[in-house]
Amino acid sequence: MRATYKDFLIRNWEEGDRTPASEVIRSVLSEYGLGWEPNGADRDVLQVEECYLATGGEFWVIEHQNKIVGTAAYYPIHRGEKAVEIRKMYLLPSARGLGLGKYLLQKLEEAIASRGFQQIWIETASVLAEAVKLYESSGYKQPTGVETARCDRVYVKQL
């Protein structure tokens, strides 16, 4: 992946991104009163190669002026038919309100569809109001069965 949106660069994750990407996610979680879980829900950010790249997923970083300001990722899951889960879609406050989140979601959906997947799952927390609004306005439906402890909402979309 290599795309631009306004003056943001969206690109594939590289090994040197591990710490800055982790800091973005930790910062956004903290902003919303959610905990960083390096041995739990956030272990995948510290092990991108194993959790995403080796499983057929992708992990992207978003740069602005050579600084990582966001992340977006997905990997295949055993939930439904030919399914993936979108994960780690976080933007720092400076990158919000510009349509970048919606653009990222569209790019993720395109990449996922091009690989033959048919279902997208997303888990999130109600306190992430902007994310909830984005998913609901993008055609995601709310089934039941949240699997991540800090999340209280789950969404699914058929491609």
PDB file of all heavy atoms in Angstrom, residues 82-100:
ATOM      1  N   LYS A  82     -14.844 -16.458   4.987  1.00  0.00           N
ATOM      2  CA  LYS A  82     -13.806 -15.627   4.361  1.00  0.00           C
ATOM      3  C   LYS A  82     -13.785 -14.245   5.007  1.00  0.00           C
ATOM      4  O   LYS A  82     -14.001 -13.223   4.353  1.00  0.00           O
ATOM      5  CB  LYS A  82     -14.016 -15.531   2.855  1.00  0.00           C
ATOM      6  CG  LYS A  82     -13.821 -16.850   2.145  1.00  0.00           C
ATOM      7  CD  LYS A  82     -13.832 -16.678   0.641  1.00  0.00           C
ATOM      8  CE  LYS A  82     -13.568 -18.013  -0.034  1.00  0.00           C
ATOM      9  NZ  LYS A  82     -13.794 -17.966  -1.469  1.00  0.00           N
ATOM     10  N   ALA A  83     -13.533 -14.228   6.308  1.00  0.00           N
ATOM     11  CA  ALA A  83     -13.669 -13.006   7.102  1.00  0.00           C
ATOM     12  C   ALA A  83     -12.317 -12.424   7.513  1.00  0.00           C
ATOM     13  O   ALA A  83     -11.334 -13.144   7.663  1.00  0.00           O
ATOM     14  CB  ALA A  83     -14.503 -13.303   8.343  1.00  0.00           C
ATOM     15  N   VAL A  84     -12.313 -11.113   7.689  1.00  0.00           N
ATOM     16  CA  VAL A  84     -11.170 -10.406   8.271  1.00  0.00           C
ATOM     17  C   VAL A  84     -11.697  -9.512   9.383  1.00  0.00           C
ATOM     18  O   VAL A  84     -12.893  -9.218   9.455  1.00  0.00           O
ATOM     19  CB  VAL A  84     -10.408  -9.530   7.247  1.00  0.00           C
ATOM     20  CG1 VAL A  84      -9.858 -10.359   6.107  1.00  0.00           C
ATOM     21  CG2 VAL A  84     -11.252  -8.387   6.743  1.00  0.00           C
ATOM     22  N   GLU A  85     -10.768  -9.079  10.211  1.00  0.00           N
ATOM     23  CA  GLU A  85     -11.101  -8.069  11.222  1.00  0.00           C
ATOM     24  C   GLU A  85     -10.236  -6.853  10.969  1.00  0.00           C
ATOM     25  O   GLU A  85      -9.013  -6.974  10.822  1.00  0.00           O
ATOM     26  CB  GLU A  85     -10.847  -8.600  12.639  1.00  0.00           C
ATOM     27  CG  GLU A  85     -11.221  -7.582  13.700  1.00  0.00           C
ATOM     28  CD  GLU A  85     -11.050  -8.085  15.128  1.00  0.00           C
ATOM     29  OE1 GLU A  85     -10.797  -9.290  15.330  1.00  0.00           O
ATOM     30  OE2 GLU A  85     -11.165  -7.254  16.039  1.00  0.00           O
ATOM     31  N   ILE A  86     -10.876  -5.690  10.891  1.00  0.00           N
ATOM     32  CA  ILE A  86     -10.128  -4.428  10.823  1.00  0.00           C
ATOM     33  C   ILE A  86      -9.721  -4.102  12.251  1.00  0.00           C
ATOM     34  O   ILE A  86     -10.532  -4.154  13.173  1.00  0.00           O
ATOM     35  CB  ILE A  86     -10.975  -3.296  10.211  1.00  0.00           C
ATOM     36  CG1 ILE A  86     -11.144  -3.534   8.711  1.00  0.00           C
ATOM     37  CG2 ILE A  86     -10.324  -1.931  10.481  1.00  0.00           C
ATOM     38  CD1 ILE A  86     -11.983  -2.481   7.998  1.00  0.00           C
ATOM     39  N   ARG A  87      -8.444  -3.777  12.414  1.00  0.00           N
ATOM     40  CA  ARG A  87      -7.903  -3.503  13.744  1.00  0.00           C
ATOM     41  C   ARG A  87      -7.003  -2.273  13.718  1.00  0.00           C
ATOM     42  O   ARG A  87      -6.540  -1.854  12.667  1.00  0.00           O
ATOM     43  CB  ARG A  87      -7.085  -4.703  14.233  1.00  0.00           C
ATOM     44  CG  ARG A  87      -7.942  -5.947  14.433  1.00  0.00           C
ATOM     45  CD  ARG A  87      -7.162  -7.110  14.985  1.00  0.00           C
ATOM     46  NE  ARG A  87      -6.389  -6.816  16.178  1.00  0.00           N
ATOM     47  CZ  ARG A  87      -6.873  -6.808  17.421  1.00  0.00           C
ATOM     48  NH1 ARG A  87      -8.142  -7.041  17.648  1.00  0.00           N
ATOM     49  NH2 ARG A  87      -6.082  -6.552  18.442  1.00  0.00           N
ATOM     50  N   LYS A  88      -6.777  -1.741  14.870  1.00  0.00           N
ATOM     51  CA  LYS A  88      -5.774  -0.695  15.070  1.00  0.00           C
ATOM     52  C   LYS A  88      -5.955   0.500  14.148  1.00  0.00           C
ATOM     53  O   LYS A  88      -4.997   1.047  13.614  1.00  0.00           O
ATOM     54  CB  LYS A  88      -4.352  -1.271  14.904  1.00  0.00           C
ATOM     55  CG  LYS A  88      -4.073  -2.451  15.817  1.00  0.00           C
ATOM     56  CD  LYS A  88      -4.297  -2.103  17.273  1.00  0.00           C
ATOM     57  CE  LYS A  88      -4.025  -3.276  18.173  1.00  0.00           C
ATOM     58  NZ  LYS A  88      -4.981  -3.427  19.253  1.00  0.00           N
ATOM     59  N   MET A  89      -7.210   0.913  13.960  1.00  0.00           N
ATOM     60  CA  MET A  89      -7.464   2.114  13.162  1.00  0.00           C
ATOM     61  C   MET A  89      -7.508   3.292  14.137  1.00  0.00           C
ATOM     62  O   MET A  89      -8.516   3.528  14.789  1.00  0.00           O
ATOM     63  CB  MET A  89      -8.772   1.971  12.388  1.00  0.00           C
ATOM     64  CG  MET A  89      -8.844   2.965  11.262  1.00  0.00           C
ATOM     65  SD  MET A  89     -10.069   2.480  10.051  1.00  0.00           S
ATOM     66  CE  MET A  89     -10.840   4.048   9.808  1.00  0.00           C
ATOM     67  N   TYR A  90      -6.374   3.962  14.251  1.00  0.00           N
ATOM     68  CA  TYR A  90      -6.233   5.070  15.195  1.00  0.00           C
ATOM     69  C   TYR A  90      -5.597   6.264  14.501  1.00  0.00           C
ATOM     70  O   TYR A  90      -4.657   6.094  13.716  1.00  0.00           O
ATOM     71  CB  TYR A  90      -5.327   4.671  16.369  1.00  0.00           C
ATOM     72  CG  TYR A  90      -5.928   3.630  17.278  1.00  0.00           C
ATOM     73  CD1 TYR A  90      -5.531   2.306  17.218  1.00  0.00           C
ATOM     74  CD2 TYR A  90      -6.903   3.978  18.213  1.00  0.00           C
ATOM     75  CE1 TYR A  90      -6.074   1.346  18.061  1.00  0.00           C
ATOM     76  CE2 TYR A  90      -7.459   3.030  19.067  1.00  0.00           C
ATOM     77  CZ  TYR A  90      -7.036   1.722  18.978  1.00  0.00           C
ATOM     78  OH  TYR A  90      -7.581   0.775  19.812  1.00  0.00           O
ATOM     79  N   LEU A  91      -6.099   7.447  14.822  1.00  0.00           N
ATOM     80  CA  LEU A  91      -5.505   8.686  14.316  1.00  0.00           C
ATOM     81  C   LEU A  91      -5.291   9.634  15.489  1.00  0.00           C
ATOM     82  O   LEU A  91      -6.176   9.779  16.339  1.00  0.00           O
ATOM     83  CB  LEU A  91      -6.438   9.361  13.302  1.00  0.00           C
ATOM     84  CG  LEU A  91      -6.673   8.625  11.978  1.00  0.00           C
ATOM     85  CD1 LEU A  91      -7.765   9.321  11.177  1.00  0.00           C
ATOM     86  CD2 LEU A  91      -5.385   8.534  11.179  1.00  0.00           C
ATOM     87  N   LEU A  92      -4.146  10.297  15.502  1.00  0.00           N
ATOM     88  CA  LEU A  92      -3.910  11.334  16.506  1.00  0.00           C
ATOM     89  C   LEU A  92      -4.879  12.488  16.250  1.00  0.00           C
ATOM     90  O   LEU A  92      -5.359  12.670  15.119  1.00  0.00           O
ATOM     91  CB  LEU A  92      -2.463  11.829  16.424  1.00  0.00           C
ATOM     92  CG  LEU A  92      -1.388  10.835  16.889  1.00  0.00           C
ATOM     93  CD1 LEU A  92      -0.003  11.432  16.681  1.00  0.00           C
ATOM     94  CD2 LEU A  92      -1.590  10.439  18.343  1.00  0.00           C
ATOM     95  N   PRO A  93      -5.170  13.297  17.275  1.00  0.00           N
ATOM     96  CA  PRO A  93      -6.121  14.406  17.107  1.00  0.00           C
ATOM     97  C   PRO A  93      -5.808  15.322  15.918  1.00  0.00           C
ATOM     98  O   PRO A  93      -6.715  15.792  15.242  1.00  0.00           O
ATOM     99  CB  PRO A  93      -6.010  15.169  18.431  1.00  0.00           C
ATOM    100  CG  PRO A  93      -5.600  14.124  19.419  1.00  0.00           C
ATOM    101  CD  PRO A  93      -4.697  13.176  18.655  1.00  0.00           C
ATOM    102  N   SER A  94      -4.525  15.538  15.637  1.00  0.00           N
ATOM    103  CA  SER A  94      -4.133  16.429  14.534  1.00  0.00           C
ATOM    104  C   SER A  94      -4.540  15.887  13.163  1.00  0.00           C
ATOM    105  O   SER A  94      -4.594  16.630  12.193  1.00  0.00           O
ATOM    106  CB  SER A  94      -2.613  16.640  14.548  1.00  0.00           C
ATOM    107  OG  SER A  94      -1.953  15.398  14.355  1.00  0.00           O
ATOM    108  N   ALA A  95      -4.842  14.577  13.083  1.00  0.00           N
ATOM    109  CA  ALA A  95      -5.189  13.958  11.800  1.00  0.00           C
ATOM    110  C   ALA A  95      -6.694  13.688  11.684  1.00  0.00           C
ATOM    111  O   ALA A  95      -7.137  13.081  10.722  1.00  0.00           O
ATOM    112  CB  ALA A  95      -4.410  12.654  11.640  1.00  0.00           C
ATOM    113  N   ARG A  96      -7.458  14.158  12.659  1.00  0.00           N
ATOM    114  CA  ARG A  96      -8.898  13.887  12.653  1.00  0.00           C
ATOM    115  C   ARG A  96      -9.682  15.048  12.057  1.00  0.00           C
ATOM    116  O   ARG A  96      -9.209  16.166  11.994  1.00  0.00           O
ATOM    117  CB  ARG A  96      -9.387  13.649  14.086  1.00  0.00           C
ATOM    118  CG  ARG A  96      -8.827  12.392  14.676  1.00  0.00           C
ATOM    119  CD  ARG A  96      -9.402  12.140  16.064  1.00  0.00           C
ATOM    120  NE  ARG A  96      -8.453  11.343  16.825  1.00  0.00           N
ATOM    121  CZ  ARG A  96      -8.269  11.449  18.115  1.00  0.00           C
ATOM    122  NH1 ARG A  96      -8.969  12.301  18.834  1.00  0.00           N
ATOM    123  NH2 ARG A  96      -7.392  10.683  18.722  1.00  0.00           N
ATOM    124  N   GLY A  97     -10.914  14.738  11.640  1.00  0.00           N
ATOM    125  CA  GLY A  97     -11.829  15.771  11.152  1.00  0.00           C
ATOM    126  C   GLY A  97     -11.540  16.222   9.732  1.00  0.00           C
ATOM    127  O   GLY A  97     -12.049  17.237   9.280  1.00  0.00           O
ATOM    128  N   LEU A  98     -10.721  15.461   9.011  1.00  0.00           N
ATOM    129  CA  LEU A  98     -10.322  15.838   7.656  1.00  0.00           C
ATOM    130  C   LEU A  98     -10.830  14.862   6.604  1.00  0.00           C
ATOM    131  O   LEU A  98     -10.488  14.970   5.435  1.00  0.00           O
ATOM    132  CB  LEU A  98      -8.785  15.902   7.576  1.00  0.00           C
ATOM    133  CG  LEU A  98      -8.106  16.787   8.624  1.00  0.00           C
ATOM    134  CD1 LEU A  98      -6.611  16.525   8.668  1.00  0.00           C
ATOM    135  CD2 LEU A  98      -8.385  18.247   8.311  1.00  0.00           C
ATOM    136  N   GLY A  99     -11.595  13.848   7.044  1.00  0.00           N
ATOM    137  CA  GLY A  99     -12.064  12.826   6.111  1.00  0.00           C
ATOM    138  C   GLY A  99     -11.084  11.682   5.944  1.00  0.00           C
ATOM    139  O   GLY A  99     -11.325  10.749   5.170  1.00  0.00           O
ATOM    140  N   LEU A 100      -9.965  11.732   6.657  1.00  0.00           N
ATOM    141  CA  LEU A 100      -8.936  10.709   6.535  1.00  0.00           C
ATOM    142  C   LEU A 100      -9.432   9.345   7.035  1.00  0.00           C
ATOM    143  O   LEU A 100      -9.152   8.317   6.414  1.00  0.00           O
ATOM    144  CB  LEU A 100      -7.682  11.139   7.304  1.00  0.00           C
ATOM    145  CG  LEU A 100      -6.500  10.181   7.313  1.00  0.00           C
ATOM    146  CD1 LEU A 100      -6.026   9.854   5.899  1.00  0.00           C
ATOM    147  CD2 LEU A 100      -5.352  10.774   8.132  1.00  0.00           C
TER     148      LEU A 100
END
